[in-house]
């Protein structure tokens, strides 16, 4: 695998086709090319309806696999409820944080 010099960041998000090859590429770009490591969220599992007999690993499972490989935390986590996302929204929209509510799936 020859690394693509045009890759400027590694974004780890939900991927039902996550593979060893993808993890190897992500880890290589982060460690060998110094690419920023971005995570979309750290959810350990997908929310399923009550009583469901399976557990579907969430994005956090993929992030932690890459994190363990590169031996460092993501540079930024963009999903709710992480502060960088709120700060970006507030900067663009001028929302008053004291009068703002974020609703998610958990």
């Amino acid at each position: 695998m020859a690394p693509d010099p045009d890759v400027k960041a590694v974004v780890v998000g939900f991927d039902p086709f996550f593979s060893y090859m993808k993890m190897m590429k992500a880890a290589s770009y982060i460690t060998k090319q110094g690419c920023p490591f971005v995570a979309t969220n750290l959810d350990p599992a997908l929310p399923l309806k009550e009583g469901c007999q399976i557990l579907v690993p969430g994005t956090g499972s993929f992030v932690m696999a890459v994190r363990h490989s590169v031996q460092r935390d993501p540079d930024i986590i963009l999903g709710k409820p992480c502060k960088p996302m709120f700060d970006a929204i507030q900067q663009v929209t001028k929302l008053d944080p004291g009068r703002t509510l974020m609703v998610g799936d958990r």
Side-chain angles (χ1 to χ4, degrees):
M1 170 193 102
D4 181 343
D6 292 331
V7 172
K8 303 298 183 217
V10 173
V11 179
V12 180
F14 183 76
D15 181 356
F17 303 103
F18 186 76
S19 68
Y20 190 83
M21 182 62 75
K22 289 180 180 182
M23 184 171 59
M24 181 183 70
K25 286 181 178 182
S28 296
Y29 282 118
I30 293 165
T31 59
K32 304 299 183 194
Q33 288 189 209
C35 289
F37 177 14
V38 179
T40 61
N41 67 69
L42 297 178
D43 294 348
L46 297 183
L48 301 173
K49 68 181 182 179
E50 185 122 2
C52 185
Q53 298 299 311
I54 63 168
L55 183 136
V56 179
T59 302
S61 301
F62 312 131
V63 172
M64 290 302 145
V66 174
R67 184 207 171 282
H68 194 69
S69 297
V70 301
Q71 292 294 291
R72 70 179 181 88
D73 291 331
D75 295 303
I76 190 167
I77 302 166
L78 297 176
K80 60 186 180 342
C82 296
K83 190 164 174 15
M85 185 179 78
F86 289 112
D87 291 344
I89 292 169
Q90 182 184 7
Q91 185 176 4
V92 171
T93 63
K94 309 298 184 218
L95 289 173
D96 175 4
R99 299 187 47 81
T100 306
L101 172 69
M102 174 65 80
V103 178
D105 56 6
R106 297 178 190 268

